[in-house]
Amino acid sequence: MRLTTRLLEGIERLPADQRERNTTYLLEAQNPDGGFSGREGGSDLYYTGFALRSLAVLQALNSDVCNKAANFLRTKMTGSAGVVDFFSLVVSCYLVPLGGGPDVLADAPTDWPERVASTLETFRSPDGGYGKTPGALYGSTYTSFLVTLCLQLLGRSNPEADRLAAFVKSRRRDDGGYVEISAMKRSGTNPTAAGVGLLQILGELDDTARAGTANFLAALPSPFEGGLRANDRIPAADLLSTFTGGWTLDQLGFANKLDWEAVQRYAEECERPIGGFRGGLWDEYTDVEYTFYGLGTLALAALMLE
């Protein structure tokens, strides 16, 4: 909710023609079954979630889009899914009624949230985090973040929050960032965003960690492109890292460590003239996921440059 509110404020400041062309791009990407695809294949929960989130911050969700999306989501209610897809399902089910569609969960059993929470707990790993699969030996920083977000959306607290906080803190490295898996020595932008977000939810982020993380992220912009890199060994920036790094710095109170004019130029260069965003300047194609990151980056930049 904090993210959505912040992006709504920023996107309202974007030029009207930019909002309109990206709205058109997203609306045209909806499939006949109501879902949205990635760059290939049929409708997918993951991409449907990103498309609906993008339309929501553009204030372009409408009953037609949401009724179609609800039909697709209902087909996924009885299947199985990993944590990433399940998070997309829950977010989508939350957004559809806001856009004038039906309550997709209306016919779900009354104990559905409890059953889901119990199922999510099967992903708990011995190190206190949550793994990518049930019974995994080691937790994933990103999966642990998503499980916690899912529990929030279900109105449930995280069991054994102290163990989870200790797990995330163990993923912090001397450079100030966080890693996805325990064997990694050098931090990445996206695991850092997940780690910081999770510690914020748990109320376990101290000032020393904040400052160290801010310094780590502030060193990641590509000097030639303006966007952020996934880690300090990769030469090229990408929109995912630019958005998650920028958002994390904003939430830490250190947004001024970025050159937001350069960030804005980078995101604009990743947009096609007819709408939609590429993953980076190296990318040839657009998709709904990177369109969310592009819009989010421009929204943050608009707020910072006011």
Side-chain angles (χ1 to χ4, degrees):
M1 287 300 296
R2 187 167 66 247
L3 171 63
T4 300
T5 301
R6 187 76 167 143
L7 296 189
L8 278 167
E9 293 174 0
I11 284 178
E12 286 179 343
R13 291 161 170 78
L14 300 185
D17 61 335
Q18 189 171 51
R19 298 197 306 270
E20 289 168 5
R21 64 176 173 262
N22 281 289
T23 296
T24 299
Y25 169 80
L26 290 161
L27 293 175
E28 290 179 349
Q30 190 169 28
N31 295 321
D33 66 1
F36 294 78
S37 305
R39 299 189 183 189
E40 57 185 29
S43 294
D44 179 282
L45 276 173
Y46 181 76
Y47 292 103
T48 298
F50 274 107
L52 293 177
R53 291 167 73 187
S54 297
L55 288 167
V57 295
L58 285 164
Q59 300 186 58
L61 282 178
N62 59 54
S63 58
D64 183 51
V65 169
C66 290
N67 281 316
K68 291 177 181 176
N71 291 333
F72 170 70
L73 296 173
R74 288 191 185 101
T75 69
K76 300 297 182 180
M77 288 296 294
T78 56
S80 61
V83 173
V84 174
D85 279 347
F86 182 73
F87 173 71
S88 298
L89 172 65
V90 175
V91 169
S92 298
C93 289
Y94 175 80
L95 290 173
V96 161
L98 296 181
D103 180 0
V104 181
L105 302 177
D107 296 328
T110 55
D111 65 344
W112 188 76
E114 288 78 14
R115 289 164 56 185
V116 168
S118 296
T119 300
L120 288 172
E121 200 58 24
T122 67
F123 287 79
R124 175 83 72 168
S125 49
D127 56 15
Y130 292 88
K132 295 181 179 180
T133 58
L137 294 178
Y138 301 100
S140 150
T141 304
Y142 180 58
T143 301
S144 298
F145 177 55
L146 289 185
V147 167
T148 302
L149 290 179
C150 287
L151 290 171
Q152 276 195 327
L153 289 168
L154 294 169
R156 299 294 182 273
S157 59
N158 198 300
E160 301 184 70
D162 290 344
R163 283 186 69 212
L164 182 59
F167 159 79
V168 181
K169 290 176 182 178
S170 75
R171 296 293 168 89
R172 186 185 299 149
R173 295 296 179 258
D174 291 342
D175 58 13
Y178 295 74
V179 296
E180 166 66 5
I181 58 175
S182 57
M184 299 178 72
K185 303 298 183 185
R186 300 178 70 87
S187 305
T189 305
N190 301 308
T192 296
V196 168
L198 185 44
L199 289 175
Q200 282 183 314
I201 291 170
L202 298 174
E204 292 282 348
L205 193 64
D206 59 50
D207 289 342
T208 300
R210 288 174 184 272
T213 298
N215 290 333
F216 166 71
L217 292 172
L220 288 175
S222 164
F224 306 107
E225 298 171 300
L228 273 67
R229 298 167 291 156
N231 59 58
D232 60 6
R233 290 152 292 173
I234 293 177
D238 67 88
L239 265 184
L240 167 59
S241 301
T242 302
F243 173 66
T244 60
W247 167 252
T248 302
L249 282 168
D250 178 52
Q251 293 300 290
L252 290 173
F254 288 98
N256 60 354
K257 284 183 172 288
L258 287 185
D259 179 349
W260 284 98
E261 289 186 352
V263 169
Q264 183 183 59
R265 285 195 300 271
Y266 173 73
E268 288 173 344
E269 289 174 359
C270 291
E271 184 189 6
R272 286 195 314 174
I274 60 171
F277 288 76
R278 301 176 289 157
L281 303 183
W282 39 266
D283 197 2
E284 297 181 8
Y285 303 100
T286 63
D287 64 43
V288 295
E289 178 185 8
Y290 281 110
T291 297
F292 176 79
Y293 302 140
L295 290 169
T297 299
L298 289 176
L300 292 174
L303 291 168
M304 301 307 168
L305 295 173
E306 253 192 341

